[in-house]
Amino acid sequence: MPQHSQYLNDDFDNFDDVSATPQRMRRRQDLTQANPNRKGRLTLEERARLAIERENQDMAPPEGDRWSNWADSGHGPEPLPEWVVTDQGACDHELGVLKTGKEADVFLLRRVSPDTGQEVTMAAKRYRSNEHRTFHRDAGYLEGRRLRRTRDMRAIETRSSFGMNLIAQQWAVAEFGALSDLWQSGVPVPYPVQLYGTELLMEFIGDPDGTAAPRLAQLRPEGEELEDLWEQLVGALLALAERGQTHGDLSPYNILVHHGRLVLIDLPQVVDVVRNPNGRDFLARDVRNVAQWFHARGLPDHLADPEALIAMLAAEARIG
């Protein structure tokens, strides 16, 4: 029986409208903000904030944007790849945005150890939380998954601020757990380096200079290259089916191709096709989405037959 991870995906609209605040309310709020240049006695709130700011400045790394939080994070499966930097004295450098999404943004981050000179470039996926209203994809994916604490489940269902933070954290945990399991099973996914709150650091699929691997949708492969990518994809889907799973949101936009190697990404909603009553539908949708793209690029019908592949994957997952 395949292992099934119990994890909990994605879109909130920003609803904080500062411009709508009455002028008198804004003036009263401004009086409570710390202003180190203002003369006169500081309020207790200002004193506390300034003390924290000074402490943070004293503790800032000599270079980079923050200290490595490796020691306080959940770690990826062992053995760790040699390129993972575990030095507690390492510094993290923000290099810019790789991708903005509905439920999370992905940043480029370089971790450098000043002591050893070791450095690595990673992708930092940060899930948004209470600044948005709803994760619009989570209803179907959560079938068969339940939180034990009714208070937490009630907060999620009512979309309270506490519930929104829980959802963001659950999806970060879900993706980290899925990547960890799939990596160990040999499925072509990025290696999950660490999980810290709602931030997931993972292997950067791209070149050392920070150039990200293109998405399948950006490519125009032909002939043998097209057939090779299709065979790699079928192998990845079979590996998922052996575990009783499917991607759940597969498309040419969440498949990377790095120097001919295919890699699946965006996996917080990986679906247990056995426990989820709509599991076979998710599997069929995944296959049809990618088969349609390959067929449009000229892959022969006898290779890109979606119904035949769906039947094969369903049989592998033992769902008929």
Side-chain angles (χ1 to χ4, degrees):
M1 172 67 81
Q3 296 179 350
H4 303 287
S5 304
Q6 300 244 345
Y7 306 107
L8 256 187
N9 158 20
D10 299 325
D11 189 16
F12 301 98
D13 295 324
N14 197 324
F15 60 88
D16 291 328
D17 188 1
V18 178
S19 63
T21 307
Q23 184 65 30
R24 286 184 301 170
M25 179 67 75
R26 290 206 301 270
R27 187 178 299 118
R28 186 157 50 245
Q29 288 176 336
D30 290 341
L31 293 176
T32 66
Q33 294 180 355
N35 184 355
N37 297 320
R38 198 189 70 183
K39 295 181 180 180
R41 299 183 64 182
L42 297 176
T43 65
L44 292 176
E45 291 84 356
E46 287 173 322
R47 290 174 185 268
R49 171 177 278 185
L50 285 173
I52 292 173
E53 289 181 356
R54 292 187 183 115
E55 182 179 359
N56 288 340
Q57 290 175 359
D58 292 339
M59 296 178 63
E63 58 181 60
D65 298 290
R66 71 183 189 189
W67 291 106
S68 165
N69 49 18
W70 170 263
D72 302 316
S73 303
H75 301 154
E78 295 185 347
L80 299 176
E82 294 182 357
W83 52 263
V84 175
V85 177
T86 61
D87 182 3
Q88 295 187 34
C91 304
D92 291 345
H93 303 250
E94 297 275 353
L95 301 181
V97 179
L98 282 174
K99 174 195 172 186
T100 58
K102 295 175 181 177
E103 78 281 358
D105 297 320
V106 183
F107 299 82
L108 194 62
L109 183 143
R110 179 171 294 138
R111 177 164 290 174
V112 181
S113 171
D115 294 334
T116 66
Q118 184 183 7
E119 62 178 65
V120 62
T121 300
M122 297 178 288
K125 187 170 185 176
R126 294 163 186 163
Y127 280 88
R128 304 194 193 102
S129 53
N130 59 356
E131 64 188 79
H132 301 282
R133 285 200 183 99
T134 59
F135 279 101
H136 66 219
R137 288 194 301 178
D138 59 30
Y141 299 112
L142 300 187
E143 287 292 337
R145 299 169 176 172
R146 292 290 181 269
L147 289 181
R148 294 181 180 180
R149 296 175 58 188
T150 56
R151 174 174 173 267
D152 290 354
M153 200 65 207
R154 185 163 56 249
I156 286 175
E157 290 171 350
T158 59
R159 294 303 198 267
S160 68
S161 177
F162 173 66
M164 301 318 309
N165 280 290
L166 275 179
I167 291 175
Q169 186 173 0
Q170 287 288 346
W171 285 113
V173 169
E175 183 156 25
F176 184 73
L179 289 175
S180 297
D181 291 343
L182 296 175
W183 170 269
Q184 290 180 301
S185 297
V187 180
V189 296
Y191 177 79
V193 177
Q194 68 173 59
L195 177 66
Y196 184 80
T198 57
E199 180 189 72
L200 167 61
L201 292 187
M202 68 188 92
E203 175 186 4
F204 170 63
I205 308 299
D207 296 329
D209 64 359
T211 302
R215 299 173 186 277
L216 180 63
Q218 298 173 273
L219 302 178
R220 294 295 181 268
E222 298 177 348
E224 292 182 0
E225 182 185 5
L226 185 67
E227 291 188 18
D228 178 66
L229 289 173
W230 174 255
E231 290 175 3
Q232 288 187 55
L233 181 56
V234 170
L237 293 175
L238 276 170
L240 281 166
E242 288 174 2
R243 297 173 48 81
Q245 295 174 323
T246 192
H247 184 287
D249 192 35
L250 191 61
S251 79
Y253 292 94
N254 46 33
I255 299 172
L256 301 182
V257 180
H258 187 231
H259 300 313
R261 174 176 170 256
L262 182 146
V263 181
L264 305 182
I265 61 170
D266 292 339
L267 286 144
Q269 73 293 310
V270 63
V271 174
D272 183 326
V273 296
V274 178
R275 295 184 181 182
N276 191 309
N278 300 313
R280 200 180 195 284
D281 294 335
F282 279 111
L283 185 152
R285 188 180 68 179
D286 282 350
V287 171
R288 291 179 182 130
N289 283 345
V290 292
Q292 181 180 16
W293 186 90
F294 275 90
H295 185 269
R297 298 297 173 276
L299 192 68
D301 292 342
H302 71 278
L303 291 178
D305 183 347
E307 301 311 314
L309 181 55
I310 291 168
M312 180 173 64
L313 295 176
E316 190 68 38
R318 297 178 177 83
I319 57 173

